[in-house]
Amino acid sequence: MSEMVENGATAPPLDGGEISPAAAAPNPMHSQYNSPSLSSKPLLMIELPKAKAKTPSRTPNFITPLGSPIRRAMKMTRLDPQDAWLPITESRNGNAFYAAFHTLCAGIGIQALVIPVAFTILGWSWGIISLTVAFVWQLYTFWLLTNLHESTETGMRYSRYLQLFDAVFGEKMGKIFAVFPIMYLSGGTCVALIVVGGSTSKLFYQIVCGGGGCPKDPLTTVEWYLVFTSAAVLVSQLPNLNSIAGVSLIGAVTAVGYCTMMWCVSVTEGRLPGVSYDRVKPNTNTEWFFGILNAFGIMAFAFRGHNVTLEIQGTMPSSEKKPSRVPMWRGIQGAYIVIALCLFPIAIGGYWAYGNKIPENGGMLAAIYFFHGRDTSQSVLGLISLFVIINAVSSFQIYGMPMFDDVESKITKRLKRPLPWWLRVISRFMFGYGCFFVAVAIPFLGSLAGLIGGIAVPVTFAYPSLMWIKVKKPQRHGFMWCLNWGLAIAGILLTVLLVAAGIYVVIDTGVEVSFFKPH
């Protein structure tokens, strides 16, 4: 990310130290990331070097929620023009509803359908306890990130996760510990969504045409991947994060829809004959230990979206009277109530219906098709599949936006002006079809998901607490100091254990290396 900072400058530190007047008032091209807290529309009242005209903004003036008093106050502030050229910070007209839509769309995914698999290893009691702890833990780290978005010392807004990490721990530490996990959570999730969306599209087509009505030469799995990718790339042409609020709303509704339908189908159809809730018994203690870790990993990945939290908050206006953390936290609270109403019923209802027979690969989705496929209405199965596809297309936009922002920041730095529309189209097409290439070229990437995913765990469980300690400097041995140190250490320990478990699984089961041969 250091490549995005003009003249080698870095984001101002957040360690609470003294800041020189030069650092407190950065020049207009100090960094693409840093926007003062009053910047609802980053180009208001700005004077560009050697330019007479204002830089155009694609956000209509009539929807900018800034009154004239704030406009006058902003005459005292020099703003970073490059922020207004990038998809995350181009429009700062977001609100609590937008935050809820984005958080809900990013927070519920197909990984939630595998939660009942963890119950087969942990059992009823430990399964519910683990799910509750993961829920509360991640909601708390959301709160930490929301409050770290704006620096009370410098007034800077840190609208990207990596930017905040660099400001707290330094750019070198960011390259070592933060770049890969954050980029994996964005790019890797987009690849996974292509796999899930393409495979489900194939299944949906088979349900709709009723088997006998299908053509003799149906599309292959790769071709369905391509169909899904084309749809996702087409929607990705919306310019910025605020502009996809409607897409996120649709994704959130469909996510809630298929989760609700799945546990309702399971409860309605009833338990399987001879269902057993006995824990899966491993052959050795080693298998038992790593099985427990795998279950914890499933719980950890059930909730997600931390790598886009600051980006979502960066789309909101902020002032001294109403900082951006207020609507952001309200949106997160509303979204997490809905998430809880989806994940807990699907975990409990799925385990109740299928017990330890729930398929490890696919979880609830596979269980419904495998156990209840013949008895359940084809229209219900088709609707579930359609909802999964729509949600995958919508989630692709949320997780792709940080990648679009990263690519466009490098281009705008060189051009010294906003990205032309045709170049933006090309860059997003390249990213989308690049993810498609990875999904097709490395179909065994899913076998390494546990190993690679373990590396990304600190983004959610450890880094927010460490950044809070570094920035806020709570009283030593006080409650917040002990709580955050305890969570940070537990998050790092969980990361180490999950990576070890991933390595063990790869060594024990092996990886079927088959390039360009997706199943």
Side-chain angles (χ1 to χ4, degrees), residues 177-199:
F177 294 105
V179 170
F180 177 77
I182 293 172
M183 293 304 165
Y184 168 75
L185 284 172
S186 294
T189 299
C190 289
V191 173
L193 289 171
I194 289 176
V195 174
V196 172
S199 302

Side-chain angles (χ1 to χ4, degrees), residues 29-99:
M29 290 300 293
H30 175 262
S31 166
Q32 70 165 38
Y33 296 125
N34 303 334
S35 294
S37 58
L38 287 176
S39 59
S40 173
K41 199 175 182 188
L43 288 183
L44 287 173
M45 313 308 295
I46 187 67
E47 296 180 3
L48 293 178
K50 299 181 181 180
K52 296 181 180 181
K54 296 181 180 180
T55 303
S57 172
R58 283 173 283 185
T59 304
N61 287 328
F62 66 85
I63 62 173
T64 303
L66 285 177
S68 56
I70 298 181
R71 290 179 186 270
R72 289 195 294 270
M74 290 179 65
K75 293 181 180 179
M76 305 299 295
T77 307
R78 295 187 66 83
L79 305 177
D80 178 12
Q82 197 175 7
D83 253 0
W85 304 341
L86 301 177
I88 288 176
T89 48
E90 181 185 53
S91 172
R92 293 191 187 270
N93 300 315
N95 53 48
F97 292 105
Y98 286 14

